[in-house]
Amino acid sequence: MHKPAITSESVRMNYERYVVPSYARTIVFTRGKGSYVWDAEGKKYLDFGAGIAVNALGHAHPAMTKALEEQSKTLIHVSNLYYHPLHAKLAQRLVELTGPGKIFFCNSGAEANEALIKLARKFGSKDGKFEVITATQSFHGRTFGSMSATGQDKIKKDFEPMLEGFQHIPYNDLSAAEKAIGPKTAAILIEGIQGEGGVTPATPEYLLGLRKLCTEKKILLLMDAVQCGMFRTGMFMSYQRVLEGKNADFLPDGISMAKSLGGGFPIAAVWMREPYGDLLGPGTHGTTFGGTPLACAVALAVLDTIEKEKLADNIRRQGDRLQAELKKHIQGGAENITGVRGYGGMIGMVVRESAPALSKEIAAKGLLVVPAGDGILRLLPPLNVSDEEVEKALDILKSHL
Ligand SMILES: *Cc1c(COP(=O)(O)O)cnc(C)c1O
């Protein structure tokens, strides 16, 4: 029987008919390799969105394929009623990369933040503390806890009432944090670099000030590293990059990780600092799929590849080059871009026109970028992006911005 060819049009029609329209989708992609993806008609795009900071190794990386293939033939899932060596191995790896503590595995950024919120509640329960302070323009996810934590009204519209016990304060404003802490406060939760809010990095003073404040007030300092963590900035955690040369001892009390942890395979993790890693005892929290042998095998392969191929150094160098060239372009009288900020492979370009409209025009030229916040375009290339690919992206960006 003749099978009709897949066209972008036919796929879009089926989405319209069968898929909940909660996303404003654009292009129909059918395959990828390295930093490139191809649409249904065979048009090639350079992918500087990387699945919104997910595809750390680009598309179809052989190390991931090998881990997926071998582990799927060995053991995919056993449930969390049992032990598995790769679960322990990945937890050890993440603890060694972060600091003394313990890991809880789950499946998405929102779910990881739910675990942080539960950690804060458990921590505060004996003293009647339950409130979590977060920042305006933050993004923590779409579940009720993580949506309530998110400091953006547009995310919450028509879903009220929110979960109780959240307060939002301006980001990078230490005195606002000081004023907001009350007898019911259990924790402060911030992103090291606000991603969806528009690529706004925390200042070193803010991070060090919050650490001191939280210690003094005996509350937890929690960080959402779902987007900015896992080497995206050129160091494992964005706070390490922000604080480079300033304070090597800085550690928050809990960190959520997801997006690129599995390079595209869904896995999330929560690091809980010693001794808080023991607060969530048997029966207090759980998730069916958290840290399956398959997910852990892939995440370990991603971490091994990042280490072996020195991809932290690579993304740092490529990101510095992108920013330097874009700054030169702005100084040379760019039409559409007025600023650039970020670290490593997490770059925000401040643009004059509508960011979604501009990102569509740039996509038509063969480059994928991601809109964020008000008037921000994000560059989130894979960590293994090459000199040549950066050159190509810069050519397209300069001709369009
Ligand atoms: C994407 C993101 C989330 C939500 O992650 P999901 O996997 O979509 O639930 C949470 N926090 C930050 C900072 C994010 O960028």
Side-chain angles (χ1 to χ4, degrees):
M1 272 240 313
H2 176 72
K3 245 170 88 186
I6 289 173
T7 63
S8 292
E9 188 51 31
S10 67
V11 174
R12 280 197 195 97
M13 270 167 57
N14 281 337
Y15 265 70
E16 226 161 88
R17 227 175 273 159
Y18 302 117
V19 179
V20 172
S22 62
Y23 277 94
R25 293 181 163 90
T26 55
I27 307 162
V28 178
F29 287 118
T30 51
R31 74 187 169 94
K33 183 74 197 155
S35 299
Y36 289 95
V37 276
W38 283 263
D39 74 11
E41 279 70 37
K43 183 176 156 74
K44 183 179 173 186
Y45 298 80
L46 181 55
D47 186 2
F48 270 42
I52 319 186
V54 166
N55 304 302
L57 306 182
H59 300 279
H61 194 284
M64 286 180 66
T65 306
K66 183 162 174 270
L68 281 163
E69 193 186 340
E70 285 178 2
Q71 191 57 42
S72 70
K73 288 178 183 165
T74 313
L75 190 64
I76 290 179
H77 176 89
V78 279
S79 97
N80 280 312
L81 300 175
Y82 307 104
Y83 295 98
H84 189 274
L86 295 181
H87 194 106
K89 192 173 173 189
L90 181 60
Q92 180 182 355
R93 193 75 169 266
L94 295 176
V95 165
E96 284 167 0
L97 281 164
T98 309
K102 287 184 176 170
I103 301 291
F104 175 82
F105 288 116
C106 46
N107 311 284
S108 70
E111 210 188 326
N113 286 328
E114 292 292 332
L116 281 183
I117 295 163
K118 282 183 76 171
L119 178 74
R121 291 247 178 139
K122 191 83 165 67
F123 165 81
S125 61
K126 62 180 186 316
D127 306 314
K129 297 175 173 184
F130 59 89
E131 194 181 75
V132 178
I133 296 171
T134 70
T136 52
Q137 296 306 112
S138 62
F139 181 77
H140 299 297
R142 301 286 191 158
T143 56
F144 260 94
S146 62
M147 173 172 60
S148 303
T150 294
Q152 299 188 49
D153 290 340
K154 66 174 190 222
I155 304 280
K156 308 176 182 185
K157 189 176 169 300
D158 298 339
F159 296 111
E160 289 93 356
M162 289 294 115
L163 184 69
E164 265 186 81
F166 289 93
Q167 196 190 150
H168 309 297
I169 55 168
Y171 191 64
N172 275 333
D173 182 343
L174 197 57
S175 69
E178 215 165 339
K179 281 187 208 121
I181 296 170
K184 302 277 179 233
T185 307
I188 295 180
L189 166 65
I190 58 153
E191 293 160 83
I193 303 172
Q194 289 192 329
E196 301 306 308
V199 190
T200 311
T203 63
E205 298 71 35
Y206 190 52
L207 291 177
L208 296 175
L210 281 184
R211 178 63 279 175
K212 193 159 165 275
L213 191 59
C214 288
T215 305
E216 280 169 14
K217 303 279 185 182
K218 298 191 170 57
I219 62 173
L220 300 180
L221 176 58
L222 307 176
M223 293 187 74
D224 178 341
V226 167
Q227 185 164 157
C228 61
M230 291 73 64
F231 297 108
R232 179 137 294 277
T233 58
M235 297 182 87
F236 183 57
M237 284 291 137
S238 67
Y239 60 76
Q240 294 168 331
R241 183 80 201 265
V242 171
L243 292 171
E244 198 175 17
K246 292 199 172 68
N247 190 329
D249 295 337
F250 175 94
L251 265 186
D253 301 313
I255 303 174
S256 55
M257 313 174 199
K259 288 200 162 83
S260 68
L261 186 59
F265 193 88
I267 178 169
V270 185
W271 171 84
M272 301 176 192
R273 188 179 183 171
E274 209 170 79
Y276 311 119
D278 289 315
L279 277 175
L280 295 174
T284 58
H285 194 46
T287 174
T288 297
F289 292 119
T292 64
L294 186 61
C296 292
V298 181
L300 283 163
V302 171
L303 286 173
D304 283 344
T305 306
I306 290 172
E307 209 165 275
K308 210 166 60 203
E309 298 180 3
K310 298 189 166 52
L311 298 184
D313 293 343
N314 182 65
I315 196 63
R316 181 179 184 130
R317 189 169 57 81
Q318 304 293 7
D320 287 352
R321 169 138 168 270
L322 275 163
Q323 283 208 52
E325 288 294 320
L326 288 168
K327 277 177 186 155
K328 261 193 250 166
H329 181 58
I330 294 167
Q331 277 155 14
E335 224 173 278
N336 251 323
I337 169 172
T338 59
V340 57
R341 60 187 182 228
Y343 289 95
M346 187 165 176
I347 296 174
M349 302 182 292
V350 187
V351 291
R352 282 209 176 88
E353 285 174 38
S354 136
L358 262 179
S359 79
K360 268 189 203 170
E361 288 170 31
I362 293 167
K365 303 277 178 206
L367 177 68
L368 302 180
V369 299
V370 186
D374 283 333
I376 306 290
L377 283 180
R378 262 177 297 178
L379 300 177
L380 303 159
L383 307 185
N384 57 1
V385 68
S386 72
D387 291 0
E388 194 194 338
E389 288 156 357
V390 164
E391 196 63 47
K392 191 169 165 184
L394 278 167
D395 283 348
I396 296 174
L397 290 170
K398 284 181 191 169
S399 72
H400 223 79
L401 297 174

